[in-house]
Amino acid sequence: MRFDIVTIFPEFFGVLDISLLGRARQSGVIELGIHNLRDYTHDRHRTVDDTPYGGGAGMVMKPEPWGEALDDVIESADDPLVIFPSPAGEVFTQRMARELADESHLVFGCGRYEGIDQRVFDHTQTRARMKLVSLGDYVLNGGEVAVMAMIEAIGRLVPGVVGNPESLVQESHEDGLLEYPSYTKPSVWRGHDVPPVLLSGNHGAVDAWRREQQIERTRRVRPDLLPE
Ligand code: 6GU
């Protein structure tokens, strides 16, 4: 699986060197390319933004550097999917993470300021598969944090990244419910007991209790996830 990221903050993605994804990169399961949008400018100030046509607050990212950066990344790829993080996009879910983990090459274009010139999207769409994707209904200053979250969610679903694939199954959202609560030793801590069923050795009872907890928790916190 290959990820390419175009951004004006390449340093931001240094954290992808560490932890689970860092190990996956060392072992070659995941390849990562970080591209500085300013490397595709040609003026002394490496300008990536300008004032919006029609007026208004904020700045808009210029199309030319984006065009050249995406030329570079897309032309050297075989059928990549280009993703622009945007609060105006389709909402990112575990289902989408699973679909994206089946891709072999994802290209992320991180916008900043008030957005990217619309023609970058229009043009990209003529030469690659493209998606606008939002993390949720709130506003971030730019796409970088969103891309980090998406890469973490997608990357861990790529075979060979998470050591024990079993641990991917019993998780919040994988079965449409929130996760059940987990406990480890000691069995009593600061006056709080571990639920006795978990100490019973009765696997059927444990499974039933965990399912109940998932349903109860989902009803309380995220009733929107439950079927009618
Ligand atoms: Cl993907 N980008 C930005 N800038 N803001 C967001 C978002 C993405 N998702 C939610 N808010």
Side-chain angles (χ1 to χ4, degrees):
M1 175 78 146
R2 181 171 175 90
F3 299 112
D4 280 289
I5 303 167
V6 180
T7 172
I8 56 167
F9 295 118
E11 329 82 63
F12 212 99
F13 295 92
V15 295
L16 293 176
D17 289 337
I18 55 178
S19 183
L20 201 69
L21 288 180
R23 234 174 306 137
R25 285 179 66 195
Q26 278 170 4
S27 73
V29 178
I30 285 179
E31 285 177 79
L32 186 62
I34 313 282
H35 311 269
N36 190 341
L37 183 68
R38 291 192 199 276
D39 291 346
Y40 298 91
T41 59
H42 302 286
D43 64 311
R44 212 157 53 80
H45 300 291
R46 314 229 294 163
T47 310
V48 293
D49 63 332
D50 206 336
T51 53
Y53 276 123
M59 299 289 267
V60 176
M61 293 188 106
K62 295 164 62 61
E64 304 97 317
W66 275 107
E68 291 192 30
L70 293 170
D71 284 347
D72 216 16
V73 178
I74 292 173
E75 279 165 14
S76 62
D78 178 32
D79 192 30
L81 174 61
V82 182
I83 295 175
F84 290 102
S86 163
E90 190 184 335
V91 175
F92 187 73
T93 58
Q94 187 65 25
R95 172 194 294 270
M96 193 189 294
R98 258 184 265 120
E99 286 167 7
L100 296 178
D102 285 334
E103 296 281 338
S104 58
H105 190 172
L106 298 176
V107 175
F108 292 96
C110 298
R112 281 263 148 184
Y113 312 106
E114 305 307 306
I116 302 174
D117 188 300
Q118 177 62 31
R119 293 167 293 179
V120 172
F121 307 119
D122 299 343
H123 180 66
T124 301
Q125 229 165 359
T126 67
R127 56 199 202 126
R129 293 178 297 132
M130 186 194 88
K131 253 183 196 303
L132 266 55
V133 180
S134 168
L135 278 199
D137 294 337
Y138 44 84
V139 178
L140 304 171
N141 280 331
E144 282 80 6
V145 166
V147 166
M148 199 78 81
M150 291 184 228
I151 287 182
E152 182 150 322
I154 297 161
R156 59 195 294 286
L157 299 177
V158 172
V161 172
V162 168
N164 176 9
E166 275 282 307
S167 67
L168 293 176
V169 182
Q170 280 293 330
E171 276 180 339
S172 286
H173 299 293
E174 274 299 339
D175 58 3
L177 297 171
L178 301 184
E179 208 170 19
Y180 53 75
S182 298
Y183 299 85
T184 185
K185 290 174 276 301
S187 63
V188 183
W189 178 74
R190 297 192 177 184
H192 298 267
D193 295 338
V194 171
V197 64
L198 299 179
L199 311 176
S200 69
N202 180 339
H203 297 300
V206 168
D207 288 347
W209 180 85
R210 284 177 169 167
R211 193 78 189 165
E212 241 167 65
Q213 291 292 310
Q214 285 192 281
I215 292 166
E216 193 282 321
R217 194 181 244 190
T218 307
R219 191 173 355 253
R220 181 162 40 88
V221 183
R222 292 293 307 278
D224 57 298
L225 295 178
L226 290 172
E228 304 287 315

